[in-house]
Amino acid sequence: MRHIAVIGSGPAGYYTAEACQKEFGDAVRVDILDKLPVPYGLIRTGVAPDHQSIKGVSRRYETTALTDNVRFVGNVSVGKDVSVDELRGLYDAVVLATGAPLDRPLEIPGADLPGVVGSAAFVGWYNGHPDFTGLAPALGGTGAVVIGNGNVAIDVARILAKTPAEFEGTDIVGYALSELAESKVDTVTLLGRRGPHQVAMTAKELSELGHLARAQPIVDIADLPPVETDAPLDISHRKALSHLREFAAAPRASDKPFRIVFDFFAMPIAIEGDGRAERVIVERTALDETGHAAGTGETYAIPASLVVSCIGYRTPPIEGIPYDEAAGRFANDEGRILPGLYAVGWARRGPTGTIGTNRPDGFSVVEKIASDLRDGSDKAGRPGLDSLLASRGVEVVTFRDWQKIEAAENAAARSGAPREKFTSIEALLAARES
């Protein structure tokens, strides 16, 4: 029997468990640990609430979770309730699937002012992550600046721009829906250091901006390169460019008072304000022959009471585990960190790729685990973990418990919504008894 612990119950964690089943058959026991009492990681707390079809992938993970040889061990904090070294002593292999839940720091003056938040915090706030329920984003001013040109930046802008009616059928949490309904923001400026040819936004995300009830995306036609220069781009990037060109060509709609402004070749250099964010100081950039954006010396100010930094994520380091500071992930050789210790998903490669990218990644790491394991095992595995956690009074949440929580959230849903998430650890634990 092989005993494998996976730390993190997001896509990378469940794809790794699925790969273990395919590799070892019935001769494996996989325990998936998570510090939250609920599974699925960013599927629950990272994917935008108006993207319900993407969240549907959780049903695949549920199929894996309900098998006899995979177990969800929720409400267990690795590093606090049990250490990685203790898990390495109990299991044949330990796989870090912790993702990259921390924001990369915005290293400009004023980044610590009230009103400036990272995308992990802002996305966690509107998705009901227990760590961010008290965020209280600054929605009292008319201007917001979103720093970044990726899909997360688009998500943030779209959520800020939607009317309450446009959230029907979503699982945005009730407190966020209420605060957004009272928001005074009417202009969101998306800052990108480089130009349209360098955006990381996908065509699908961009297309959604063209169908908002009260908001119009604004692109300066002068920022767009000649159409013929699109030819070397891959087809998905060309489709994204086509949407930007459509936005630039569209006349200003009188019935859409909310603006989503794409400000390309724009680099934030400071955030200013009297005790809180009031404006972002931006320097105009130009691209050199290598595509690097350099400041031109021309600066201007954009009014903003809310600044959301969407410049990337990093994996939280764990004491004693080799860490690559520059890449913001665990130091590893194609998934191997130390004997018996592996990394998968964003914890292995950094925050790149889609949800589906984690599946081949999980299978690749499990192949390495299989080649590294000795015949036979004398590790205690699951019984050893249970005994250790019980001795420390840790209240473990099982997948069956999660199903009770899920049923209670579904029952509490407002009209038209799939669920109303419980947003505190206490409420989540209490829901098991409902």
Side-chain angles (χ1 to χ4, degrees):
M1 184 63 65
R2 306 301 192 185
H3 301 285
I4 297 175
V6 178
I7 303 172
S9 69
Y14 271 106
Y15 284 130
T16 299
E18 179 187 336
C20 286
Q21 292 177 317
K22 294 285 177 61
E23 179 69 37
F24 300 110
D26 292 334
V28 70
R29 293 292 180 269
V30 182
D31 284 347
I32 302 177
L33 286 70
D34 202 293
K35 71 174 184 177
L36 291 180
V38 293
Y40 306 143
L42 65 80
I43 299 299
R44 179 178 169 93
T45 60
V47 172
D50 54 352
H51 285 174
Q52 288 297 304
S53 61
I54 297 175
K55 292 175 180 280
V57 73
S58 64
R59 294 307 169 200
R60 175 177 186 143
Y61 308 147
E62 182 179 64
T63 300
T64 300
L66 291 174
T67 54
D68 291 336
N69 55 350
V70 172
R71 183 178 69 154
F72 174 66
V73 187
N75 199 41
V76 175
S77 178
V78 174
K80 176 185 174 184
D81 298 323
V82 61
S83 71
V84 172
D85 282 344
E86 286 173 325
L87 291 173
R88 291 174 70 192
L90 292 170
Y91 292 85
D92 297 300
V94 176
V95 184
L96 301 177
T98 52
L102 302 182
D103 286 297
R104 281 182 55 197
L106 179 62
E107 296 177 339
I108 60 174
D112 58 346
L113 284 172
V116 182
V117 299
S119 56
F122 190 74
V123 171
W125 169 75
Y126 63 63
N127 270 321
H129 191 297
D131 290 349
F132 302 112
T133 55
L135 184 68
L139 301 173
T142 58
V145 164
V146 177
I147 302 171
N149 265 187
N151 280 344
V152 175
I154 290 285
D155 284 345
V156 170
R158 189 183 66 255
I159 295 298
L160 286 169
K162 280 195 165 185
T163 63
E166 289 176 284
F167 286 109
E168 184 175 350
T170 78
D171 64 351
I172 188 169
V173 292
Y175 68 75
L177 184 61
S178 298
E179 290 184 47
L180 288 167
E182 298 298 320
S183 171
K184 299 296 189 289
V185 175
D186 62 17
T187 301
V188 175
T189 302
L190 290 157
L191 293 183
R193 296 173 67 238
R194 299 191 292 172
H197 271 185
Q198 289 77 37
V199 296
M201 305 162 180
T202 60
K204 182 181 182 301
E205 294 273 350
L206 282 167
S207 69
E208 293 180 69
L209 297 186
H211 302 284
L212 297 173
R214 63 167 179 166
Q216 180 174 12
I218 308 294
V219 175
D220 187 342
I221 197 167
D223 285 337
L224 294 167
V227 175
E228 57 269 20
T229 62
D230 294 353
L233 303 175
D234 61 58
I235 187 169
S236 61
H237 206 157
R238 291 201 301 272
K239 287 180 179 179
L241 263 292
S242 71
H243 289 301
L244 292 174
R245 295 186 190 281
E246 289 171 7
F247 298 158
R252 183 65 195 275
S254 60
D255 61 339
K256 295 196 173 185
F258 196 109
R259 301 189 311 150
I260 300 174
V261 180
F262 287 81
D263 195 358
F264 294 110
F265 306 107
M267 177 173 62
I269 57 174
I271 300 168
E272 296 180 345
D274 185 10
R276 62 172 303 103
E278 295 177 351
R279 59 193 162 273
V280 179
I281 307 303
V282 179
E283 182 175 9
R284 186 63 66 200
T285 66
L287 302 185
D288 61 23
E289 60 276 3
T290 67
H292 175 73
T296 64
E298 176 190 351
T299 63
Y300 55 97
I302 301 175
S305 60
L306 173 66
V307 181
V308 185
S309 175
C310 306
I311 59 173
Y313 301 108
R314 60 190 181 93
T315 297
I318 298 175
E319 186 176 356
I321 308 300
Y323 191 80
D324 185 336
E325 289 285 352
R329 55 172 172 75
F330 295 112
N332 69 93
D333 180 10
E334 297 184 341
R336 292 183 174 99
I337 301 176
L338 295 169
L341 183 64
Y342 305 81
V344 71
W346 284 6
R348 181 189 75 81
R349 65 181 190 274
T352 61
T354 64
I355 290 170
T357 307
N358 293 295
R359 186 174 188 274
D361 201 27
F363 276 74
S364 174
V365 167
V366 170
E367 286 178 1
K368 293 176 177 62
I369 292 173
S371 68
D372 293 345
L373 289 182
R374 307 183 313 272
D375 290 336
S377 171
D378 57 359
K379 297 295 182 74
R382 185 172 295 178
L385 177 66
D386 290 347
S387 176
L388 182 63
L389 294 178
S391 72
R392 293 173 180 174
V394 179
E395 189 175 358
V396 172
V397 174
T398 68
F399 199 83
R400 300 293 182 186
D401 291 330
W402 152 242
Q403 290 181 308
K404 294 177 183 177
I405 295 170
E406 182 180 38
E409 290 185 336
N410 294 347
R414 63 187 177 275
S415 178
R419 65 190 63 83
E420 181 61 47
K421 296 175 187 172
F422 300 118
T423 60
S424 71
I425 300 299
E426 293 76 17
L428 288 164
L429 294 177
R432 296 174 302 167
E433 309 304 324
S434 60

